[in-house]
Amino acid sequence: MTYESPAMRDDRIDVAALFGAVAQRLPRIIVLTLVLLAAAFAVLMFMPRLYESSASILVEDRSSIYTRAANEQAPSSSSSETGVVSSQIELLKSRDTLLTVIDTLDLRSVAEFNGGDGGGFSPVAIIGRLLGRQATPLSIDETVLNNLYSRLTVSQERDSRLISVTVQSTDPQRAADIANAVANAHVARRAQLSLSDTAVASGWLRDEIDRLRVVVNETETAVANFKVANDLFVGSNNTGLADQQLSTIASQISAAQERKSTALARASLIRGMLERGQSIEGVADVRDSAVIQQLSEDKARLQGEMAQRSATLLSSHPTIRALTAQIRELDNQIAIEGRRVAGALDAEAQIEADLEVSLNAELDNAKVSASTATQDTVTLDELQREAKAQRDLLEGYLQRYNEAFSRTETNSALPDVRVVSLAAPSVTPASPKIQLVLIAVGIVAVLAQIGVILFAELMSGRAIIIGREAVRPQDELDEVPFSPAELEAEQQAAVSDSRTEEEVADEPDLFTAPEPSIEPRPSSQVVDADALAAQSRLIEELAALDSEPANDQAPVPSAAPRATPASIPDAISLADLTADLVLGRTHLVMLAAHRTNADCEALADELVADAQARGLSVALVDAGSGRLSELPGLSDLSGDTASFGDVVHKSTDNSFAEIPWGRARSITRKSTKPLTLVEALGDIYEVVVLLTGRVGMNSALPMFADLDGRVVLVAGPQDEGAGIEDSRAQLLDAGFSTVDVTLGPVRVAA
């Protein structure tokens, strides 16, 4: 089943009528605007002229390399500039700063600030005097401060560290003096605060220095006492005596080992040469012996003499033999002396070995002493570190104290603000702005009057063009398709085919519906004669049924009036249910059938048609018919074979949505998707009609028990009251708090 939204009446605004109304009242608009301008000008002429002057203050650190400490770094740009400037603004507007300005300029004696002018032209003061209320008396300082606050404006220039101090006064020179005085007072106060901070820091540093001197003395004394108690004396090169002793003994042991090895090697060399019969005169140790030197000289002399004699004598000559024997004897003596030198080297090596043993014993003793000294050195180092830390801290405090004391004594502390622009007397008044005020009054007056005129025209309806209601074709939902007069007129139109369409169109329209829900048919439509005859017979049967008694009535077509049996005392009418939907008292209607789902479908058709006829958006959900459809529906959604978007079938204008049963034979009861879908439709559409089927085990109503909807039990015209009450009791026992009963429309038998 598909429904189309009813055509809405197209009302339009007559723009020409609106412009005409404004043009008609244009003289009155001009006159009233001129009167308001004159009144505003008169008021402005009596207002005092205020002159405005402004001074500028720059917020920045003013320290330099000449004023900073030796180890102090230059300040870097911080990301909290806005917070610093805001703090300066609040300090500048503080009571102490402004009291200094009041004392400097003697503002207590100025009538503009001490209240001598009767409160000035303040709107609040003027209204209070008109109402007869007197201001609460204040002290002279409070009065001057309040007036100065009202004339003072302190603001930060955009994206900068500049602060503008703006003052308004009736005297231009006084405005400039006050602005400069406020700026200078703030700078002087910041300098005083800097000096006071430095003085406080100096006092604290002096106390800390006195304390640290005692601490440093105690720590250094503890270091000295520990050295004396543990013999931890320091020699040259800042090395302990134990370490120096270990180093000396180790070097002596190395030298003794070296000398022993050298002596043994030389003795072994001499003996080897003697065994091989080689001359040992070239060995340094043999050559250094005085005996061998004498024997070598004698040998050389004899060898020279032998060479001389050999020139004249033969080798067998006694002289030659004597010289040879003497030389041989000298060689034997040299060999003997070489062996003695080798023995002396062995003795020297033994001496060095004994010395090495003695030095090793001494080294062991030194190691024991050094291990004890090393353990004591750990404690000594800790004491020395503590003493050094306290000494460094004392020296740092002394340096800072000297710098802070020098700044305090010479008043050399620079504030973090300075005046960069002095205020000058203003030539032109800053308030009131007569031209701007008059322009604003004129624009507001004209626009307000035009707005009132347009609103009056729209509210009266003179500027609204009423549109015609759209004509819809006759359908089977209308109660009476044709009246007898209309039927006769159509028969005449069908028979008289000699007239042209233009002639038929020019004739008056005879097809006027007897009820508002019946729309006229076009007069040019041609009706079949057999259809007209059947319709005539139907009308006659209806007239005959109307003339029969009420207790003998038979089932009538769907256009017949609804029956209301007396056996159902609490039944609600279709009109009441429709009224609740239209007025918004009911948003979701859950229809449960007593005997057959056809009654619910017929009632749902009427509810949907009535709601759409009144311009409401409607959603129809079939959860009880059980008829398989070609399009996916609620059963497919519960079985996860279709998505939410697949089962919602909308009209072209989105005013109606239908969710059919679907292509599956049953709805999965465990699925929560049907409940979620109905909730979503309730958020989108103004009226939701839900068909849950016949009351019983197969009813889908329990699936939607959590919804905030209205449960309506639909009964047929022929159903008995006792059975209907039983079905209603079943629903109440199932947990539904309220169950309404209504009668379905009379249906024509198929």
Side-chain angles (χ1 to χ4, degrees):
M1 54 187 91
T2 305
Y3 299 91
E4 296 181 357
S5 60
M8 302 300 294
R9 191 172 62 188
D10 187 14
D11 297 342
R12 296 182 292 107
I13 297 177
D14 191 353
V15 180
L18 293 178
F19 281 108
V22 174
Q24 184 179 0
R25 296 171 177 82
L26 187 60
R28 187 181 69 180
I29 295 174
I30 296 175
V31 172
L32 184 57
T33 303
L34 293 177
V35 171
L36 292 176
L37 290 175
F41 182 76
V43 173
L44 292 175
M45 292 302 296
F46 285 99
M47 293 183 66
R49 301 295 184 267
L50 295 179
Y51 295 88
E52 186 176 271
S53 295
S54 179
S56 298
I57 298 176
L58 178 62
V59 180
E60 66 175 359
D61 185 76
R62 300 180 62 187
S63 61
S64 63
I65 58 175
Y66 306 105
T67 58
R68 286 195 299 268
N71 57 351
E72 184 180 356
Q73 297 181 354
S76 59
S77 59
S78 176
S79 59
S80 59
E81 294 182 359
T82 304
V84 173
V85 176
S86 300
S87 301
Q88 296 287 349
I89 291 175
E90 296 301 324
L91 184 61
L92 196 148
K93 295 165 58 179
S94 64
R95 178 187 178 90
D96 295 340
T97 303
L98 297 184
L99 283 177
T100 304
V101 176
I102 293 173
D103 295 336
T104 303
L105 299 179
D106 193 17
L107 295 181
R108 296 183 182 87
S109 61
V110 179
E112 182 182 357
F113 293 95
N114 62 12
D117 58 351
F121 288 87
S122 173
V124 178
I126 294 174
I127 295 174
R129 288 196 297 271
L130 291 177
L131 297 176
R133 298 181 60 182
Q134 299 294 331
T136 304
L138 300 174
S139 63
I140 184 64
D141 287 343
E142 293 296 331
T143 302
V144 175
L145 278 174
N146 291 336
N147 291 329
L148 184 57
Y149 275 133
S150 62
R151 304 294 178 88
L152 176 65
T153 303
V154 182
S155 61
Q156 178 187 3
E157 298 297 333
R158 184 180 62 182
D159 298 334
S160 68
R161 287 174 169 260
L162 283 176
I163 299 176
S164 296
V165 181
T166 305
V167 178
Q168 290 183 346
S169 177
T170 55
D171 186 359
Q173 185 61 45
R174 185 183 299 117
D177 294 341
I178 294 175
N180 292 330
V182 171
N184 293 327
H186 179 64
V187 173
R189 186 181 181 190
R190 288 299 300 163
Q192 183 180 2
L193 290 175
S194 299
L195 288 176
S196 63
D197 294 341
T198 305
V200 172
S202 300
W204 179 80
L205 286 173
R206 184 172 57 252
D207 296 338
E208 288 296 314
I209 288 171
D210 295 339
R211 182 184 64 82
L212 285 175
R213 282 174 176 169
V214 177
V215 174
V216 170
N217 189 15
E218 292 176 353
T219 54
E220 291 183 348
T221 302
V223 171
N225 293 336
F226 188 81
K227 287 182 178 180
V228 173
N230 296 276
D231 295 334
L232 298 176
F233 298 104
V234 179
S236 59
N237 298 326
N238 198 22
T239 306
L241 294 180
D243 294 337
Q244 291 183 1
Q245 185 178 8
L246 287 175
S247 178
T248 302
I249 294 175
S251 61
Q252 290 177 356
I253 291 175
S254 299
Q257 290 177 349
E258 182 180 359
R259 290 194 299 271
K260 182 185 70 172
S261 299
T262 303
L264 293 175
R266 290 176 179 175
S268 177
L269 176 64
I270 292 172
R271 291 189 182 93
M273 294 179 67
L274 290 175
E275 292 176 358
R276 292 189 298 271
Q278 296 178 352
S279 174
I280 60 175
E281 294 178 4
V283 179
D285 293 326
V286 176
R287 189 173 56 249
D288 293 337
S289 176
V291 176
I292 292 179
Q293 290 178 0
Q294 183 65 34
L295 294 175
S296 297
E297 291 177 359
D298 293 342
K299 182 181 178 179
R301 182 177 56 78
L302 292 175
Q303 287 178 347
E305 184 178 357
M306 183 178 178
Q308 183 179 5
R309 296 298 182 114
S310 296
T312 57
L313 299 177
L314 296 174
S315 59
S316 60
H317 192 275
T319 301
I320 298 299
R321 289 181 178 178
L323 290 175
T324 302
Q326 290 178 2
I327 291 172
R328 189 178 298 110
E329 182 63 24
L330 289 176
D331 289 335
N332 292 333
Q333 291 180 2
I334 290 174
I336 294 171
E337 187 63 24
R339 291 186 181 92
R340 188 186 63 80
V341 171
L345 290 176
D346 290 336
E348 183 180 355
Q350 183 63 37
I351 293 173
E352 296 296 336
D354 295 340
L355 179 61
E356 181 182 357
V357 173
S358 176
L359 290 175
N360 285 327
E362 186 176 357
L363 180 62
D364 293 337
N365 295 330
K367 286 181 179 180
V368 174
S369 301
S371 61
T372 304
T374 302
Q375 296 176 356
D376 296 336
T377 303
V378 176
T379 306
L380 178 62
D381 292 341
E382 182 179 358
L383 294 175
Q384 288 178 341
R385 283 194 299 270
E386 180 66 21
K388 184 177 182 303
Q390 297 295 336
R391 189 184 308 108
D392 294 342
L393 184 60
L394 176 61
E395 292 176 355
Y397 279 1
L398 283 172
Q399 183 179 3
R400 295 181 182 180
Y401 173 75
N402 293 330
E403 294 171 354
F405 182 77
S406 63
R407 291 183 183 180
T408 306
E409 291 297 322
T410 60
N411 293 332
S412 61
L414 297 177
D416 54 354
V417 293
R418 58 177 171 177
V419 179
V420 295
S421 177
L422 294 174
S426 178
V427 179
T428 58
S431 175
K433 300 291 186 181
I434 298 178
Q435 294 180 353
L436 294 179
V437 173
L438 292 179
I439 291 174
V441 170
I443 293 175
V444 172
V446 172
L447 294 180
Q449 294 180 75
I450 292 176
V452 171
I453 293 172
L454 296 179
F455 182 74
E457 291 295 321
L458 292 174
M459 293 301 295
S460 63
R462 292 189 294 270
I464 302 297
I465 300 177
I466 306 300
R468 296 182 179 180
E469 294 185 355
V471 179
R472 67 180 180 88
Q474 180 73 28
D475 55 21
E476 68 276 5
L477 296 178
D478 297 329
E479 294 184 357
V480 181
F482 296 98
S483 64
E486 292 170 347
L487 183 60
E488 183 179 357
E490 283 208 9
Q491 290 176 351
Q492 294 177 0
V495 176
S496 56
D497 53 354
S498 59
R499 292 179 296 173
T500 62
E501 293 183 358
E502 291 79 3
E503 293 174 349
V504 174
D506 293 335
E507 290 186 359
D509 189 7
L510 300 177
F511 300 98
T512 303
E515 295 182 5
S517 61
I518 303 299
E519 299 294 339
R521 285 180 177 268
S523 59
S524 61
Q525 182 177 1
V526 180
V527 183
D528 184 38
D530 296 335
L532 292 176
Q535 291 176 356
S536 299
R537 289 193 299 272
L538 178 59
I539 292 172
E540 292 176 358
E541 292 176 359
L542 292 174
L545 290 174
D546 292 337
S547 62
E548 293 181 1
N551 54 1
D552 296 331
Q553 289 181 355
V556 295
S558 60
R562 291 169 52 89
T564 307
S567 59
I568 307 176
D570 297 333
I572 62 172
S573 63
L574 175 62
D576 294 337
L577 186 57
T578 303
D580 292 342
L581 291 175
V582 172
L583 297 178
R585 291 193 291 263
T586 300
H587 180 61
L588 170 62
V589 179
M590 295 184 286
L591 302 180
H594 166 61
R595 186 167 55 88
T596 176
N597 193 63
D599 298 328
C600 291
E601 294 179 354
L603 180 60
D605 293 341
E606 292 197 9
L607 292 177
V608 172
D610 290 342
Q612 284 197 307
R614 288 164 175 79
L616 301 177
S617 57
V618 187
L620 179 61
V621 182
D622 183 7
S625 68
R627 290 195 304 270
L628 302 182
S629 60
E630 297 181 357
L631 299 176
L634 204 62
S635 60
D636 302 310
L637 178 65
S638 65
D640 294 334
T641 58
S643 62
F644 288 98
D646 296 336
V647 301
V648 179
H649 308 287
K650 301 179 181 179
S651 61
T652 55
D653 56 357
N654 292 329
S655 64
F656 175 75
E658 181 181 7
I659 296 85
W661 174 268
R663 293 173 292 195
R665 295 188 176 276
S666 61
I667 296 177
T668 304
R669 299 303 178 97
K670 295 182 180 180
S671 176
T672 60
K673 289 185 177 181
L675 177 64
T676 304
L677 176 61
V678 176
E679 289 180 347
L681 293 175
D683 296 335
I684 300 173
Y685 293 89
E686 298 171 314
V687 176
V688 179
V689 180
L690 175 61
L691 303 178
T692 61
R694 182 179 177 182
V695 176
M697 296 297 295
N698 296 327
S699 175
L701 189 59
M703 296 179 61
F704 307 96
D706 295 336
L707 295 177
D708 185 14
R710 184 173 183 178
V711 180
V712 178
L713 178 62
V714 183
Q718 304 301 325
D719 294 340
E720 297 180 357
I724 296 174
E725 287 299 327
D726 292 340
S727 298
R728 182 181 182 184
Q730 292 180 13
L731 296 179
L732 293 175
D733 294 339
F736 297 97
S737 59
T738 303
V739 178
D740 297 325
V741 180
T742 187
L743 295 177
V746 180
R747 295 176 287 105
V748 180

